[in-house]
Amino acid sequence: MSGTHADVPTLVSTPLPGPVPSDEYDRCPVTDVIRRVGDKWTLLVLVLLGRRAHRYNELHREIDGISQRMLTRTLRALEDDLLVCREVFPTVPPSVEYSLTPLGRSLLEPLSALADWAVENETEIAAARHRPTLETKNAR
Amino acid sequence: MSGTHADVPTLVSTPLPGPVPSDEYDRCPVTDVIRRVGDKWTLLVLVLLGRRAHRYNELHREIDGISQRMLTRTLRALEDDLLVCREVFPTVPPSVEYSLTPLGRSLLEPLSALADWAVENETEIAAARHRPTLETKNAR
DNA sequence: CCGGATCCCATACGATACTG
DNA sequence: CAGTATCGTATGGGATCCGG
């Protein structure tokens, strides 16, 4: 914060000569991470697992409205990226526990910074959305 | 960073009693912001505008592969959230200049933190993706 | 130069039913 | 308990053409 529009670290300061090549952009690690976390459930799952390890149905109960299908897919995707860890205990009936990996926990830090920004500027954003659709004449 | 898995600020530390209500979650400012930035082009547009103001076709040339439709939609959405500012100059032919609002610039800071994380852990993530699909027996 | 309107596809997501 | 399979719908996004 501090300065009104201080220099932003990397990202903005690094130069780019020509246009951004499309295929290079598709593989950009930054966009990649944001898009992966930007789906409907991933963030919430990460946050819940950041509090403590959960079993499958614990998550299913705590996340109101998620379908089994999406919970499974979300967990699998996170597991594939080594952000969450899946442990099967051979009890009967079997129980599966999900927890954050160190990598997953480290991701929660910058995510939390973003969350703080969102909360701080929540009212400003909300106010913007409720503007009278910008007159002119028809529906914009 | 520092500690391997230090406590993460807000987000994780605030308690939640019961399951997360679905409609409340839909309006969660944090998820809202992440999803808004998590589409295909928004982040790149924000970064480019973070460097300097751009005209419409400047952006179109710099962002290889974006369609006019999506560039316009992306800019409109950002404008609606007061993250970018649109100025029309009554020249002939008309020219339009886009720039970040103070709010938009402030968003770039937490976003940049996330970007740094992505770059730092790029290799680890990439390595995870290339695992031999996790044996067991069938195709998982 | 800066878009809007239209069509069309791929994917995200939800609902439901079934299984080891 | 912890999933998989199948379906249908909603949305994101590209291509193309049209207009002030």
Side-chain angles (χ1 to χ4, degrees), chain B residues 27-45:
Chain B
R27 291 184 188 81
C28 168
V30 183
T31 305
D32 198 48
V33 167
I34 297 218
R35 298 207 69 179
R36 171 136 327 221
V37 175
D39 69 353
K40 190 166 185 179
W41 305 107
T42 296
L43 178 64
L44 182 51
V45 169

Side-chain angles (χ1 to χ4, degrees), chain B residues 55 57 68 72 76 86 96 98:
Chain B
R55 300 204 19 209
N57 273 355
Q68 289 193 334
T72 300
R76 287 283 179 275
R86 176 178 187 262
V96 182
Y98 295 91

Side-chain angles (χ1 to χ4, degrees), chain A residues 2-19:
Chain A
S2 58
T4 42
H5 50 89
D7 294 73
V8 177
T10 42
L11 204 67
V12 180
S13 48
T14 56
L16 48 88

Side-chain angles (χ1 to χ4, degrees), chain A:
Chain A
M1 289 304 164
S2 58
T4 42
H5 50 89
D7 294 73
V8 177
T10 42
L11 204 67
V12 180
S13 48
T14 56
L16 48 88
V20 179
S22 54
D23 51 339
E24 175 181 327
Y25 174 61
D26 281 340
R27 291 185 188 82
C28 167
V30 182
T31 305
D32 198 48
V33 167
I34 296 218
R35 298 208 68 179
R36 172 138 322 225
V37 175
D39 69 354
K40 189 165 186 179
W41 304 109
T42 297
L43 177 65
L44 183 52
V45 169
L46 282 177
V47 169
L48 289 177
L49 292 183
R51 294 156 184 270
R52 61 176 176 83
H54 281 73
R55 297 189 35 193
Y56 182 88
N57 274 354
E58 278 184 311
L59 287 171
H60 196 204
R61 277 189 299 273
E62 284 206 57
I63 305 177
D64 188 56
I66 195 173
S67 61
Q68 289 193 331
R69 172 180 142 90
M70 287 316 296
L71 178 54
T72 300
R73 283 177 61 97
T74 302
L75 288 169
R76 288 283 181 276
L78 288 172
E79 192 192 350
D80 285 346
D81 284 356
L82 294 185
L83 292 171
V84 322
C85 167
R86 177 177 186 264
E87 281 182 293
V88 183
F89 298 99
T91 60
V92 44
S95 65
V96 181
E97 191 172 277
Y98 293 93
S99 57
L100 288 191
T101 63
L103 188 64
R105 272 191 297 273
S106 73
L107 173 57
L108 233 38
E109 299 187 25
L111 244 33
S112 198
L114 190 57
D116 291 339
W117 183 94
V119 172
E120 285 173 22
N121 301 94
E122 181 179 0
T123 59
E124 192 161 358
I125 297 265
R129 301 250 175 93
H130 296 145
R131 285 175 306 174
T133 26
L134 220 47
E135 25 60 47
T136 48
K137 51 175 180 293
N138 50 17
R140 187 183 200 106

Side-chain angles (χ1 to χ4, degrees), chain B residues 20-137:
Chain B
V20 179
S22 54
D23 49 341
E24 176 181 326
Y25 174 61
D26 282 340
R27 291 184 188 81
C28 168
V30 183
T31 305
D32 198 48
V33 167
I34 297 218
R35 298 207 69 179
R36 171 136 327 221
V37 175
D39 69 353
K40 190 166 185 179
W41 305 107
T42 296
L43 178 64
L44 182 51
V45 169
L46 283 177
V47 169
L48 289 178
L49 292 183
R51 295 156 184 270
R52 61 176 176 83
H54 281 73
R55 300 204 19 209
Y56 182 86
N57 273 355
E58 277 185 311
L59 287 172
H60 196 205
R61 276 189 300 273
E62 284 206 57
I63 306 177
D64 188 55
I66 194 174
S67 62
Q68 289 193 334
R69 173 180 139 92
M70 286 316 296
L71 179 54
T72 300
R73 283 175 60 98
T74 302
L75 288 169
R76 287 283 179 275
L78 288 171
E79 192 192 348
D80 285 346
D81 284 356
L82 295 184
L83 292 172
V84 321
C85 168
R86 176 178 187 262
E87 280 182 293
V88 183
F89 298 99
T91 60
V92 43
S95 65
V96 182
E97 190 173 278
Y98 295 91
S99 58
L100 288 192
T101 63
L103 188 64
R105 272 191 297 273
S106 74
L107 173 58
L108 233 37
E109 298 187 25
L111 244 33
S112 199
L114 190 58
D116 290 340
W117 183 94
V119 172
E120 284 173 23
N121 300 95
E122 182 180 0
T123 59
E124 192 161 357
I125 297 264
R129 301 250 176 93
H130 296 144
R131 284 174 308 174
T133 29
L134 218 50
E135 24 59 47
T136 48
K137 50 176 180 293

